[in-house]
Amino acid sequence: MTHITQTQQAIASDSFDEQSLAQAELYTHLEAQAQTVAPTLDPLTDRDRRIIATIIERTPEEIKTIWIEAGITVWVQLVDGGRLPFERNWFATRVQEVKATLPETPRERNERLSAELEAACIKFGLTHGQIDWLSFSTTLYLNHLCIGFIGYNRANQWYSRRNQLGGSRTADSVDAAIASLGVRQPVAA
């Protein structure tokens, strides 16, 4: 009997451990899904942090958040817990000055180009394939038929070509690059 009791206890203990492990895995899974469905949004973009860091002569990684108190004082909260107050109008002027001189990051460039491409595709009734973000290039389709390739080069120009190995034509706008493929905007009837 003692042997049976010990075996039953071991089984019960193993079942409890497996149940605890399964419960922990479930909680981890639920937390991951909750974060996916409703991620915590950081109100500051990387560019915002770079601008603020330039103004207060810190690194972007040191900036936690920013807020305005009573419409007069801008507070910058640092990651280490420190806070720096600034007069709102002075800070706003400095933000505009720094924005004008701060170069666009590759991510910001890609977001801008992607928005331009999406707007042009809608205008011309086109779709595009997956974007190669490193070279910013993609395939253009009209009614699921490949009509050519489009991209943005290092000389800050849009380019297009009919086939993958063909010569490229450069243009100052995405619309002109698409038009050089022979695509015209649909005419409303």
Side-chain angles (χ1 to χ4, degrees):
M1 286 263 190
T2 305
H3 176 66
I4 293 172
T5 305
Q6 289 174 347
T7 305
Q8 287 175 342
Q9 288 175 349
I11 291 171
S13 176
D14 288 344
S15 295
F16 179 74
D17 290 342
E18 288 176 13
Q19 184 179 3
S20 297
L21 182 61
Q23 191 70 32
E25 286 178 10
L26 175 63
Y27 286 141
T28 303
H29 178 72
L30 290 174
E31 287 176 17
Q33 283 202 334
Q35 188 65 19
T36 301
V37 172
T40 304
L41 296 177
D42 188 355
L44 296 177
T45 64
D46 292 337
R47 183 173 175 84
D48 293 337
R49 282 193 170 74
R50 286 182 24 227
I51 292 168
I52 295 166
T54 302
I55 293 170
I56 67 172
E57 299 176 357
R58 298 285 184 115
T59 63
E61 294 78 26
E62 292 179 273
I63 311 300
K64 183 174 184 179
T65 192
I66 186 172
W67 72 92
I68 298 175
E69 183 177 61
I72 299 170
T73 306
V74 173
W75 286 92
V76 176
Q77 174 78 45
L78 303 175
V79 173
D80 67 5
R83 293 181 182 167
L84 301 172
F86 298 94
E87 194 273 324
R88 183 189 63 143
N89 293 333
W90 176 87
F91 197 82
T93 302
R94 291 290 296 135
V95 166
Q96 293 308 314
E97 291 169 0
V98 172
K99 269 187 180 181
T101 61
L102 202 60
E104 181 175 60
T105 66
R107 181 178 180 175
E108 292 166 341
R109 174 187 168 269
N110 282 347
E111 288 172 354
R112 176 179 56 81
L113 294 176
S114 179
E116 288 179 31
L117 178 61
E118 292 296 330
C121 282
I122 291 169
K123 189 185 304 182
F124 285 91
L126 303 173
T127 57
H128 64 81
Q130 186 173 5
I131 296 173
D132 178 345
W133 294 105
L134 292 177
S135 64
F136 200 88
S137 60
T138 189
T139 309
L140 290 177
Y141 299 95
L142 178 63
N143 298 326
H144 302 288
L145 296 173
C146 176
I147 60 162
F149 302 87
I150 192 163
Y152 198 79
N153 63 25
R154 291 185 182 180
N156 295 323
Q157 296 175 314
W158 284 95
Y159 68 86
S160 59
R161 60 180 175 256
R162 290 198 183 278
N163 56 47
Q164 202 159 14
L165 300 176
S168 296
R169 293 183 179 146
T170 59
D172 292 331
S173 70
V174 66
D175 291 350
I178 291 173
S180 73
L181 293 172
V183 179
R184 302 290 175 243
Q185 290 184 30
V187 178

